[in-house]
Amino acid sequence: MKEYKYKINGNTYKVAVGDIDNNVAQVEVNGIPYKVELDATKKPVKVVSSPRPSAAPRTESGAKVISKPAASGTGGHQVKAPLPGTVLSVAVKVGDSVKAADTVAVLEAMKMENAIHAGRDGVVAAVNVNPGDAVLEGAPIITLE
């Protein structure tokens, strides 16, 4: 039994709390035993099932597939990854004509989907990534003529 001393309105009480069984506690106040019924409040249990994240893509040898920024000598405009992430989709193909505000790809970074815009008008000369590729910041996603 756990024993406590309480002072209420100047009076001292010695309280001993014993076992609690089926929401009934055995309590003794100044030597007098009491059975105290406790309110049973049941809280709903939330079961959270989060899907397991998919593994990063790998080559046949087991190495991770990561597109790295390449030094480019081409005269075309490159649309680059603004931050590291995974390419979810590519909305253009070689030969497509795009406007500056057009979304050319969607990049997932920090559990957020980021639309990557062309940045200028042009024609797609090359698509440098595929859906599922992991890219580093500054990696070229597409090249415009």
Side-chain angles (χ1 to χ4, degrees), residues 1-142:
M1 281 191 147
K2 293 216 177 207
E3 294 188 12
Y4 305 94
K5 283 189 179 181
Y6 295 104
K7 193 167 199 173
I8 303 172
N9 294 333
N11 296 324
T12 303
Y13 297 93
K14 290 182 185 178
V15 178
V17 179
D19 295 332
I20 300 173
D21 188 30
N22 292 329
N23 292 333
V24 176
Q26 301 295 328
V27 179
E28 192 174 290
V29 179
N30 289 340
I32 302 169
Y34 294 95
K35 287 187 179 182
V36 178
E37 188 173 331
L38 306 172
D39 283 340
T41 56
K42 293 185 180 180
K43 295 181 182 177
V45 176
K46 263 190 190 176
V47 177
V48 178
S49 115
S50 58
R52 183 178 174 169
S54 61
R58 296 184 181 266
T59 63
E60 292 174 7
S61 65
K64 290 183 179 178
V65 176
I66 297 180
S67 296
K68 295 182 182 176
S72 120
T74 64
H77 171 73
Q78 290 188 333
V79 178
K80 297 181 179 183
L83 64 166
T86 302
V87 178
L88 292 181
S89 65
V90 179
V92 295
K93 58 185 183 299
V94 175
D96 286 355
S97 182
V98 294
K99 299 286 183 192
D102 289 351
T103 299
V104 294
V106 177
L107 181 72
E108 179 185 19
M110 298 181 285
K111 298 188 180 187
M112 300 273 301
E113 290 184 10
N114 301 280
I116 308 301
H117 301 284
R120 68 171 225 187
D121 295 352
V123 176
V124 178
V127 177
N128 304 318
V129 295
N130 294 310
D133 286 355
V135 294
L136 297 175
E137 181 178 355
I141 294 174
I142 66 164

